[in-house]
Amino acid sequence: MDNRTILQGFEWYLPADGKHWQRLTGLAEELHKKGISGVWLPPAYKGANGLEDVGYAPYDLYDLGEFEQKGTIPTKYGTKKEYLECIKALKEVGMEVYGDIVFDHFMGADEEENVSAIKYRSDNRNVALSGEEEISAWTKFTFPGRHHKYNDYSWTWKNFSGVDFDDRRQDHGIFNFDGKGWDEEVDNENGNYDYLMGCNLDMEYPETVDQLNKWGQWYQELTDVDGYRLDAVKHIQFNYFVDWLLNRRKEKGKDLFVVGEYWNGELEKLTNYIDSSGALISLFDVPLHYHFYEAANSDGRYDMRNIFEETLAKERSEWAVTFVDNHDTQKGQSLESWVDGWFKVHAYALILLRKAGTPVVFWGDLFGIPSQGVDAVGKDLELLLKIREQLAYGSEMDYFDDPNVVGWIRTGTFDREKSGYAVVMTNAQAGEKNMTISAVHAGKIFVDILGNNEAKVTLDETGGGIFPVNGGEVSVYVNEEIVEKLSRRIDGLAM
């Protein structure tokens, strides 16, 4: 797919009105016209918190908003029927759809069970705080509201390796079930980060693996999604998804786009996961996000030459999924690291207008976050999306030779009319860059389509020119002849 561009189709604080699938269905054509080629949908199954559940506290994987469970039939986003209609509408206009899969834990069990367990330190899960003791754990999932439709399996403590609450003693500790242990090939934060929350799925227990595979087969056939976003992969045995994904790919009959959330800023850990998971899973470029966050909060002191250092975009570009912000980094969330507005367009230019990685645009940046008083980024982001779709082709050359003023070019290609451009940005004072786009563009006039700088740059016989940028801003210089065309498209007019 040329210049795949993904929309994260939700944010954390969407209204719990059960209407989001309908909202997305109505937006399908508009999203495609904006330059979006794929949409990552939020988890669609019933969560422990019912209508208020964002989707990351999974209760019943088979309830996609169909059964009266947890006080509601629809999920936060709507009903099963509306979910399937949404997927169909997005695919019909030419976009791919990616399902969000949470296989780390279940929450909201129906019954308690008595089980022998060992308590561990929360900050070092390799250090036991007790011997074996019987606890009362909420670990039995019978899904009474579903009445065994689609699947009649009941989940018990045997499917899990631990919990974080002993109801008998009202103890909020971390308990590992007798004889289970923690999976070893997981992130080593807190000694061993197998356990995250809720009832921790035991990927060493054959019935757990079998049931998750059965659900995957059911879900893939039902939805025909084109790929997956995998939640919390650093807490799950690193090689677990290999067989699961190979099975889904076989059922689909073609490759799937798969991205995992391994939240860690250390490049080495991310590359190790890519290798350990059979190179089937791309990862979100968390180090790059943190570079954006640091640059946005450094008052111009960040060295822009280093923006891609120690990132997946630089080291494993084919497996890098780049992003500026997401539902976890927005204000009020556990991983809050919101990229300030002044640097937002810089950051989007750095992921949308470059060859490396697959960029994800956040719903909150495209449409705003009304509950938090956060406005949409606006026309600049929409222009960047159209530039990526229509002009971001050809070879790339970097001019990252100044601590504040950096730039790069794309040469364009013959088969893409007037493609190619020059980008120059600064996180401090105004400046300029002498850059060569391509001799193909010799004599052409290039202007800043973002309108931040009024310069008209006539390229010399080599396709080179001097491209200025105002203090703290970004300029994207494109062939003057294409500007009106793109701008009219953004304004909703025919090209």
Side-chain angles (χ1 to χ4, degrees):
M1 177 180 292
D2 286 340
N3 290 348
R4 175 185 271 125
T5 307
I6 298 170
L7 172 69
Q8 178 179 348
F10 64 103
E11 54 98 359
W12 193 271
Y13 302 107
L14 287 173
D17 56 9
K19 295 181 178 179
H20 193 56
W21 300 142
Q22 296 178 53
R23 197 175 294 124
L24 278 166
T25 298
L27 285 170
E29 189 172 349
E30 178 185 336
L31 291 175
H32 185 55
K33 287 181 178 179
K34 286 180 185 295
I36 301 297
S37 59
V39 181
W40 152 26
L41 297 179
Y45 30 77
K46 192 67 58 69
N49 300 305
L51 196 63
E52 298 290 335
D53 205 298
V54 176
Y56 296 102
Y59 164 68
D60 185 356
L61 301 182
Y62 286 96
D63 184 357
L64 303 180
E66 183 179 3
F67 306 99
E68 178 70 52
Q69 297 191 109
K70 299 302 177 185
T72 178
I73 291 177
T75 67
K76 178 177 182 175
Y77 309 109
T79 65
K80 174 187 176 183
K81 180 175 181 289
E82 291 162 348
Y83 179 55
L84 297 178
E85 288 173 347
C86 174
I87 292 173
K88 181 180 179 182
L90 294 172
K91 290 166 76 73
E92 280 183 345
V93 298
M95 291 186 288
E96 292 188 336
V97 176
Y98 315 117
D100 198 325
I101 306 301
V102 186
F103 275 2
D104 178 73
H105 52 273
F106 282 3
M107 299 182 79
D110 301 299
E111 299 176 25
E112 290 181 272
E113 297 180 287
N114 293 325
V115 56
S116 180
I118 298 172
K119 185 177 180 180
Y120 283 83
R121 280 179 53 169
S122 61
D123 61 348
N124 189 342
R125 283 77 182 279
N126 294 320
V127 177
L129 295 177
S130 75
E132 294 178 20
E133 56 186 16
E134 188 172 82
I135 68 170
S136 181
W138 286 91
T139 47
K140 191 167 185 179
F141 293 77
T142 59
F143 316 113
R146 181 158 49 84
H147 306 292
H148 303 302
K149 189 174 181 180
Y150 305 126
N151 180 280
D152 61 1
Y153 188 78
S154 292
W155 297 68
T156 70
W157 71 269
K158 294 179 181 180
N159 297 104
F160 309 108
S161 60
V163 293
D164 59 0
F165 183 63
D166 172 13
D167 195 37
R168 180 178 300 179
R169 299 176 181 82
Q170 297 293 294
D171 186 354
H172 290 274
I174 293 180
F175 300 91
N176 182 244
F177 297 153
D178 182 27
K180 293 280 191 177
W182 303 118
D183 284 340
E184 293 184 3
E185 198 174 5
V186 294
D187 191 85
N188 61 7
E189 187 177 346
N190 294 320
N192 177 298
Y193 220 171
D194 179 10
Y195 185 83
L196 175 62
M197 65 177 71
C199 299
N200 189 70
L201 287 164
D202 181 5
M203 299 309 191
E204 297 295 322
Y205 188 60
E207 288 186 23
T208 297
V209 174
D210 181 57
Q211 287 299 320
L212 293 177
N213 186 60
K214 285 182 177 178
W215 177 81
Q217 184 176 6
W218 173 83
Y219 178 80
Q220 180 69 57
E221 181 179 357
L222 176 71
T223 64
D224 192 35
V225 292
D226 303 289
Y228 296 92
R229 181 265 184 188
L230 307 176
D231 186 61
V233 296
K234 76 177 186 179
H235 306 281
I236 302 168
Q237 185 77 18
F238 287 171
N239 63 3
Y240 163 72
F241 279 107
V242 172
D243 287 342
W244 195 90
L245 289 171
L246 288 175
N247 288 338
R248 303 296 81 78
R249 185 162 68 171
K250 183 177 180 181
E251 292 154 10
K252 178 75 172 176
K254 63 178 185 179
D255 288 342
L256 298 165
F257 177 80
V258 183
V259 56
E261 181 226 13
Y262 192 120
W263 197 268
N264 196 290
E266 297 179 35
L267 176 65
E268 185 177 351
K269 289 191 174 184
L270 303 187
T271 56
N272 176 63
Y273 183 85
I274 291 170
D275 295 337
S276 300
S277 60
L280 294 174
I281 304 173
S282 297
L283 291 179
F284 288 109
D285 198 342
V286 177
L288 182 58
H289 162 75
Y290 279 129
H291 287 338
F292 293 158
Y293 179 66
E294 184 181 351
N297 289 281
S298 66
D299 196 27
R301 292 185 297 272
Y302 184 86
D303 190 335
M304 291 292 288
R305 293 172 296 187
N306 299 328
I307 199 82
F308 288 109
E309 293 303 312
E310 295 294 307
T311 67
L312 283 175
K314 180 176 181 180
E315 302 298 333
R316 296 284 183 94
S317 62
E318 293 295 316
W319 283 267
V321 176
T322 54
F323 68 103
V324 178
D325 276 305
N326 65 24
H327 63 293
D328 285 323
T329 69
Q330 65 184 112
K331 295 175 182 179
Q333 290 307 299
S334 59
L335 300 172
E336 180 180 333
S337 45
W338 187 250
V339 176
D340 281 348
W342 80 272
F343 196 76
K344 193 74 88 170
V345 178
H346 291 63
Y348 271 112
L350 285 161
I351 68 171
L352 290 172
L353 303 189
R354 294 183 62 80
K355 295 178 73 172
T358 299
V360 177
V361 175
F362 182 42
W363 177 278
D365 288 329
L366 194 58
F367 295 109
I369 308 173
S371 66
Q372 294 188 313
V374 175
D375 293 330
V377 174
K379 187 174 181 179
D380 282 354
L381 177 53
E382 305 221 4
L383 280 167
L384 294 178
L385 283 167
K386 296 309 293 183
I387 295 166
R388 176 174 177 79
E389 179 188 55
Q390 298 192 20
L391 307 181
Y393 299 94
S395 300
E396 182 177 85
M397 187 182 302
D398 287 341
Y399 294 83
F400 283 61
D401 52 3
D402 183 90
N404 299 115
V405 184
V406 297
W408 68 94
I409 63 90
R410 295 292 297 274
T411 61
T413 57
F414 282 107
D415 60 334
R416 298 278 180 174
E417 184 187 9
K418 299 180 178 63
S419 58
Y421 49 75
V423 182
V424 59
M425 64 174 61
T426 174
N427 65 338
Q429 71 282 356
E432 60 186 25
K433 275 278 180 271
N434 189 341
M435 300 187 287
T436 298
I437 302 178
S438 170
V440 172
H441 304 286
K444 297 295 184 181
I445 298 173
F446 273 58
V447 297
D448 177 13
I449 192 170
L450 300 185
N452 291 329
N453 194 287
E454 296 180 354
K456 290 193 173 187
V457 182
T458 302
L459 303 190
D460 63 23
E461 67 276 7
T462 68
I466 297 175
F467 302 90
V469 62
N470 297 337
E473 292 185 348
V474 185
S475 289
V476 181
Y477 289 88
V478 303
N479 190 319
E480 186 179 40
E481 298 169 19
I482 201 79
V483 171
E484 183 180 356
K485 208 173 187 182
L486 282 179
S487 296
R488 289 176 66 217
R489 185 68 177 267
I490 297 300
D491 293 334
L493 301 176
M495 290 186 66

